[in-house]
């Protein structure tokens, strides 16, 4: 029987960061298994035949204010500085998202746009994000009109498609958080660090796990090898409900049918991401060559059709955050806490949506706890 100090299930960002820390900082042996045929989990990317870097599981843009996370990853990659700009088609026009002062002028006649702009700046100041809930509370009919416009045009259609919910079931506290950005800043994120690994995510991942104490086995399900390996510590970044054989029931997820299309022209759309809250069944189209500023006569675009996660059909993408699911997850967490040598982590182990920086931060924090 093979002996290893740490068995890590999942070669995604959670698994590899823990593997690297245990191997390098604690000088312990690590075996990572992943059922997929490649490393990196959902951040896996590859260069296609046209030299365009494709994100197989949907577009990934790194952004963070967490310097520890930024410095940690910077040991394994150089960065292509990249500020994400997203547009949405509202009433047939491409406008900045988050909806900002320039968006106002794109969708409204000049006098109305100017009036709204002046009222927003006067009431809230400049360079601030104002949730539409605040606009609604303002008792100003113009600002209430703006709140309703943004709710209907930016939030409602997109959310109904993304989460497969009925408009009447939407939680007012969530929709109320949709912001109007009283600013001319047209970036999607305002984080201090925003970039894409200059050689792609997969190369960064390969460097993180390139360590004499780390062995990786791909195409390997945990259930296939668990009786063949003797380990002291198990770190599990797969689905927590699956580990416990779904004994309390299945945790639901949203998934995506990602359709990639190649076009025989240099560019397909005006920027990397266009959202379609009102039109079509897909939520957004993403053109990959923009990310690393790659040159090609052709271009590749993905279209995202949200759908429910179904085992064997598609991938688990987004945990669905509601109180019933949280309660179900807590039952699994109680089970997990009975065994001190098993650690659940990551998007599937914690049943929590994490951006990449949060994933790394969570893994580093768990490492400190283990240490
Ligand atoms: C569509 C989409 C877009 C995103 N865009 C961004 C973005 O722009 N910016 C950002 O910061 N974040 C983004 N994210 C979040 C990012 O993908 C996650 O933070 C990160 O991938 C989580 O890593 P993880 O290791 O926890 O999970 P995963 O990457 O899912 O890794 C888990 C791994 O475990 C393996 N596994 C599971 N069960 C088993 C088993 N039983 N046996 C063996 N192996 C198993 C899986 O095959 C998988 O490789 C996005 C996520 C999605 C879904």
């Amino acid at each position: 029987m093979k002996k290893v100090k740490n068995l890590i299930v999942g070669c995604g960002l959670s698994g590899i960061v823990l593997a690297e820390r245990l191997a390098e900082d604690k000088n312990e042996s690590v075996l990572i298994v992943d059922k997929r045929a490649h490393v990196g989990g959902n951040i896996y990317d590859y260069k296609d035949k046209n030299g365009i870097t494709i994100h197989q599981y949907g577009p990934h843009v790194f952004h963070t204010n967490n310097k520890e996370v930024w410095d940690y990853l910077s040991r394994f990659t150089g960065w292509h500085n990249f500020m994400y700009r997203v547009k949405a088609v509202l009433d047939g026009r491409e406008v900045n998202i988050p909806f900002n002062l320039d968006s106002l002028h794109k969708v409204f006649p000049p006098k109305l746009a100017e009036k709204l702009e002046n009222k927003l700046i006067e009431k809230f100041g400049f360079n601030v994000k104002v949730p539409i809930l605040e606009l609604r509370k303002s008792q100003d009919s113009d600002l209430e009109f703006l709140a309703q416009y943004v709710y209907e045009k930016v939030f409602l259609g997109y959310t109904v498609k993304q989460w497969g919910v009925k408009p009447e079931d939407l939680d007012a506290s969530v929709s109320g958080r949709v912001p109007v950005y009283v600013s001319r800043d047209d970036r999607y994120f305002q984080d201090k660090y925003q970039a894409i690994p200059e050689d792609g995510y997969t190369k960064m991942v390969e460097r993180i796990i390139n360590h004499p104490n780390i062995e990786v086995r791909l195409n390997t399900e945990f259930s296939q090898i668990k009786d063949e390996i003797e380990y002291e510590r198990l770190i599990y970044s797969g689905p927590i409900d699956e580990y416990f054989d779904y004994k309390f029931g299945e945790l639901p997820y949203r998934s995506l049918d990602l359709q990639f299309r190649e076009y025989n022209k240099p560019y397909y759309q005006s920027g990397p991401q266009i959202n379609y809250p009102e039109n079509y069944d897909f939520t957004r189209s993403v053109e990959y060559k923009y990310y690393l500023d790659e040159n090609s006569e052709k271009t590749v675009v993905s279209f995202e059709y949200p759908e429910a996660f179904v085992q064997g059909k598609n991938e688990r993408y987004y945990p669905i955050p509601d109180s019933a699911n949280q309660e179900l997850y807590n039952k699994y967490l109680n089970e997990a806490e009975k065994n001190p040598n098993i650690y659940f982590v990551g998007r599937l182990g914690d049943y929590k949506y994490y951006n990449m920086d949060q994933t790394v931060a969570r893994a580093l924090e768990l490492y400190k706890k283990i240490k």
Side-chain angles (χ1 to χ4, degrees), residues 9-15 33-36 38-43 57-63 84 189 201 220-223 236-239 242 256 258 284 304 315-318 345-348 353-359:
V9 177
C11 197
L13 201 48
S14 303
V33 296
D34 201 299
K35 61 184 177 186
R36 291 179 179 167
H38 58 73
V39 299
N42 282 355
I43 66 171
Y57 299 93
H60 280 73
V61 176
F62 185 79
H63 58 101
Y84 209 27
F189 307 114
Y201 289 97
T220 307
E221 263 278 350
F222 171 62
S223 56
Y236 199 88
S237 69
E242 185 186 78
L256 295 173
L258 268 166
R284 57 180 179 173
E304 292 179 23
E315 300 285 342
R316 291 173 171 91
Y317 276 140
Y318 303 102
V345 69
R347 188 177 69 83
L348 305 167
Y353 182 82
Y354 291 128
N355 280 323
M356 288 180 278
D357 63 328
Q358 296 168 311
T359 299

Side-chain angles (χ1 to χ4, degrees), residues 5 46 96 114 131 163 188 210 231 233 271 328 369:
K5 190 99 177 154
Y46 62 92
N96 302 322
E114 209 170 302
W163 295 100
Y188 197 56
N210 180 14
Y231 48 85
R233 202 182 283 123
L328 182 53
K369 198 172 133 194

Side-chain angles (χ1 to χ4, degrees), residues 95-357:
V95 309
N96 302 322
I97 294 294
F99 193 93
N100 69 3
L101 295 178
D102 289 328
S103 314
L104 271 182
H105 288 272
K106 278 265 176 72
V107 297
F108 297 127
K111 276 206 175 118
L112 176 58
E114 209 170 302
K115 182 160 79 163
L116 289 167
E117 174 169 347
N118 290 338
K119 281 194 176 185
L120 284 168
I121 295 172
E122 210 170 287
K123 198 162 171 61
F124 301 103
F126 189 68
N127 259 348
V128 282
K129 283 188 179 148
V130 183
I132 60 171
L133 197 63
E134 289 297 308
L135 297 183
R136 285 193 169 136
K137 281 194 215 149
S138 67
Q139 295 189 326
D140 178 311
S141 58
D142 290 325
L143 296 181
E144 282 173 34
F145 158 79
L146 176 63
Q148 190 57 20
Y149 183 90
V150 172
Y151 170 76
E152 275 175 23
K153 299 285 180 179
V154 178
F155 175 79
L156 187 61
Y158 198 92
T159 307
V160 165
K161 278 194 254 185
Q162 176 79 358
W163 295 100
V165 288
K166 294 196 205 98
E168 58 270 28
D169 293 340
L170 286 172
D171 185 341
S173 66
V174 175
S175 60
R177 279 188 241 136
V178 179
V180 167
Y181 195 12
V182 188
S183 176
R184 294 227 125 78
D185 184 346
D186 63 350
R187 296 168 305 165
Y188 197 56
F189 307 114
Q190 275 67 45
D191 300 49
K192 176 161 182 182
Y193 306 103
Q194 311 189 25
I196 309 232
E198 63 185 3
D199 305 315
Y201 289 97
T202 302
K203 283 277 181 302
M204 176 182 83
V205 169
E206 286 168 355
R207 290 183 202 124
I208 294 175
I209 53 181
N210 180 14
H211 194 285
N213 289 340
I214 300 177
E215 184 192 340
V216 179
R217 286 195 202 167
L218 299 174
N219 299 306
T220 307
E221 263 278 350
F222 171 62
S223 56
Q224 273 171 264
I225 51 100
K226 67 174 196 246
D227 300 326
E228 294 164 25
I229 312 278
E230 209 179 295
Y231 48 85
E232 287 178 27
R233 202 182 283 123
L234 175 65
I235 293 171
Y236 199 88
S237 69
I240 190 167
D241 53 346
E242 185 186 78
Y243 178 87
F244 290 109
D245 239 348
Y246 307 105
K247 66 197 239 185
F248 303 121
E250 208 181 315
L251 285 164
Y253 287 83
R254 287 297 280 172
S255 186
L256 295 173
D257 177 10
L258 268 166
Q259 296 195 7
F260 290 88
R261 280 181 220 144
E262 184 182 297
Y263 293 90
N264 210 358
K265 54 184 178 182
Y267 284 96
Y268 171 82
Q269 60 191 31
S270 63
Q273 178 174 326
I274 313 279
N275 292 356
Y276 292 90
E278 298 181 279
N279 298 93
Y280 312 118
D281 294 330
F282 53 86
T283 45
R284 57 180 179 173
S285 56
V286 170
E287 188 163 3
Y288 289 86
K289 67 193 317 185
Y290 280 109
Y291 285 158
L292 289 171
D293 202 10
E294 290 165 326
N295 271 321
S296 167
E297 285 308 301
K298 300 196 176 177
T299 191
V300 175
V301 180
S302 69
F303 298 85
E304 292 179 23
Y305 295 81
E307 57 188 18
F309 164 70
V310 179
Q311 276 194 54
K313 178 185 168 214
N314 51 22
E315 300 285 342
R316 291 173 171 91
Y317 276 140
Y318 303 102
I320 301 176
D322 70 21
S323 52
N325 297 341
Q326 191 57 40
E327 222 170 276
L328 182 53
Y329 163 73
N330 286 341
K331 287 188 185 167
Y332 286 114
L333 187 63
N334 278 339
E335 281 298 289
E337 282 168 354
K338 289 180 190 162
N339 189 334
N341 298 323
I342 306 181
Y343 299 86
F344 288 87
V345 69
R347 188 177 69 83
L348 305 167
D350 290 338
Y351 191 63
K352 195 165 180 190
Y353 182 82
Y354 291 128
N355 280 323
M356 288 180 278
D357 63 328

